[in-house]
Amino acid sequence: MDIKYNLKPASERRTEPFEPQGDVGFGKLRTDHMFMMDYKDGQWQNARILPYGPFEMMPGAMALHYGQSIFEGAKAFMHDDGEIYTFRLDKNAQRLNRSADIVCIPNIPEDVQLEAINALIDVDRLWFPRQEGACLYIRPFVFATEDRLSVSPANQYTFCVVLSPSGAYYGKNLNAIRLLITTQFHRAVSGGTGASKAAGNYAASLRAGKAAAAHGAAQVLYLDSTNQYIEEVGAMNHFHIRKDGTLIIPEFTDTILRSITSESILALGKELGCEVRQETVKLSDFIADIEAGDIVEAGGFGTAAVVSPVGSYIFEDGRIVTVGDGKVGERISHIYKVYTEMQKGLRPAPEGWVRKVERRG
């Protein structure tokens, strides 16, 4: 792929490594540049890296009216050799195309996505925050730009990648959260867009998030449309750990987004020192097993937090069910440690999971 470089003048961009004095937060900052590429006349074209800044887009752009917009979220880490490495970025490229299929957006070849992201990271590598637990959060996204007011797939799109220098999601320690078990709100139904990272899915989740906050919970535990089976935790995949150490993730369906973290945990299995499997999880059985002490830990898997431990669940009638002692369990702490050490290059990862961002001169 031929990428055009239209960079900021040297005097206007970062020239020294980013060494923040305080917490940089998660997802708040941006680097100097962004990658863009356009789809028109049936092909992706005009790949370029340019200064981060506003888009020029027509008011009739179809993404604004009909929600044809998808995104991804990945991370890159600096290892002890001072080089930057991406983690399972190929899985994000594959998932972007699965999302694209669901909302009728043209696929972007995986190698093109990977080259775009690596080229951008190389240009802005000095923006990597030099502090414990930090990463470069990678946000690729695609949206319809055709200026047309009719409900049908657009003929023009923009693919963009931005980078966010981010600190540790949890600071120094994992924290247990509370989830609202809701029968009022549903994330997705079969045959819809639940298996995609479509922007509209996240807009639809905001109302449920407000309801969770009103109950003193951090997020919601979504059930299927019959309110019988467990599906997702907010924007994460749910999981629980039984007394015998078995880790269970709900079966993936067309109403659940496949978390790359979940897929990685399933692949690691023995490396984590436990059996990992998927099952259809009935809510009534899940609650009964918590109360009987057969389920001792629970949480969510996702890119931003990696693992979010759940200490308790609250129902809409105010009833609270506590998992174990309500604190972060040893098995979750171990999973988090193993996984993040692989990301940081402190522990060997399976072949191909960690890839160096090459310097291009």
Side-chain angles (χ1 to χ4, degrees):
M1 178 172 59
D2 180 26
I3 301 176
K4 298 175 184 176
Y5 289 78
N6 176 24
L7 307 184
K8 285 184 174 183
S11 60
E12 295 180 17
R13 64 179 188 260
R14 178 166 290 282
T15 56
E16 298 292 334
F18 182 30
E19 297 181 351
Q21 299 303 305
D23 179 20
V24 297
F26 194 91
K28 297 179 180 179
L29 301 181
R30 303 289 177 269
T31 62
D32 286 327
H33 300 90
M34 60 186 179
F35 174 91
M36 291 182 67
M37 183 170 63
D38 305 310
Y39 182 89
K40 60 181 180 180
D41 301 325
Q43 63 183 347
W44 288 101
Q45 55 189 276
N46 192 19
R48 59 208 185 271
I49 292 177
L50 65 164
Y52 180 85
F55 291 127
E56 184 174 295
M57 188 164 61
M58 298 304 290
M62 294 174 74
L64 301 177
H65 300 269
Y66 308 119
Q68 245 192 313
S69 178
I70 57 176
F71 69 94
E72 267 301 323
K75 287 179 179 178
F77 302 86
M78 182 170 287
H79 290 190
D80 287 344
D81 61 1
E83 298 294 330
I84 298 175
Y85 295 78
T86 59
F87 187 79
R88 307 214 75 185
L89 190 57
D90 56 324
K91 299 290 288 184
N92 291 96
Q94 293 166 16
R95 192 171 65 177
L96 185 81
N97 281 336
R98 288 200 299 271
S99 295
D101 288 340
I102 290 172
V103 296
C104 300
I105 290 175
N107 277 205
I108 303 170
E110 291 172 26
D111 61 333
V112 170
Q113 294 185 53
L114 298 180
E115 184 176 356
I117 293 168
N118 277 269
L120 180 61
I121 292 174
D122 181 49
V123 164
D124 280 346
R125 65 173 59 243
L126 288 175
W127 271 98
F128 191 96
R130 306 294 185 97
Q131 64 179 208
E132 180 64 28
C135 70
L136 269 181
Y137 182 71
I138 305 163
R139 173 50 61 86
F141 56 108
V142 189
F143 55 98
T145 54
E146 184 181 359
D147 187 359
R148 178 161 57 88
L149 299 181
S150 61
V151 183
S152 61
N155 293 309
Q156 297 174 10
Y157 300 86
T158 290
F159 172 58
C160 182
V161 183
V162 299
L163 303 175
S164 177
S166 296
Y169 193 88
Y170 282 112
K172 293 184 178 180
N173 300 299
L174 289 173
N175 299 304
I177 62 173
R178 172 172 290 174
L179 297 181
L180 170 67
I181 297 177
T182 177
T183 58
Q184 180 181 0
F185 301 102
H186 297 93
R187 179 184 171 276
V189 294
S190 184
T193 62
S196 73
K197 282 187 76 69
N201 290 347
Y202 295 80
S205 75
L206 299 178
R207 189 167 56 139
K210 289 180 68 175
H215 284 80
Q219 252 303 348
V220 297
L221 176 63
Y222 287 110
L223 306 176
D224 75 319
S225 59
T226 70
N227 291 326
Q228 294 185 72
Y229 298 96
I230 288 176
E231 294 208 326
E232 294 206 63
V233 179
M236 298 180 290
N237 284 172
H238 189 264
F239 73 90
H240 65 264
I241 301 174
R242 302 192 68 85
K243 188 165 54 178
D244 64 2
T246 304
L247 189 153
I248 296 171
I249 299 170
E251 289 274 7
F252 295 139
T253 67
D254 69 347
T255 59
I256 294 177
L257 178 72
R258 288 174 175 256
S259 163
I260 292 166
T261 309
S262 287
E263 292 188 326
S264 300
I265 296 298
L266 286 163
L268 288 171
K270 294 178 181 178
E271 181 79 22
L272 302 173
C274 63
E275 179 186 354
V276 183
R277 67 171 186 259
Q278 290 189 282
E279 294 179 356
T280 299
V281 181
K282 195 169 185 177
L283 176 65
S284 58
D285 294 340
F286 175 70
I287 296 301
D289 286 348
I290 291 176
E291 293 178 329
D294 293 325
I295 291 176
V296 294
E297 298 181 50
F301 289 134
T303 297
V306 179
V307 181
S308 280
V310 174
S312 63
Y313 298 84
I314 183 170
F315 287 85
E316 287 163 322
D317 63 5
R319 175 189 170 202
I320 295 173
V321 178
T322 301
V323 184
D325 62 3
K327 299 178 181 178
V328 179
E330 292 182 3
R331 291 183 180 91
I332 284 179
S333 295
H334 177 68
I335 291 168
Y336 181 78
K337 182 175 186 292
V338 170
Y339 199 83
T340 55
E341 285 182 353
M342 285 183 179
Q343 291 178 319
K344 298 172 187 175
L346 301 175
R347 179 187 295 257
E351 181 69 27
W353 284 26
V354 177
R355 296 181 181 178
K356 182 179 176 180
V357 177
E358 299 294 341
R359 295 178 181 267
R360 301 185 174 217

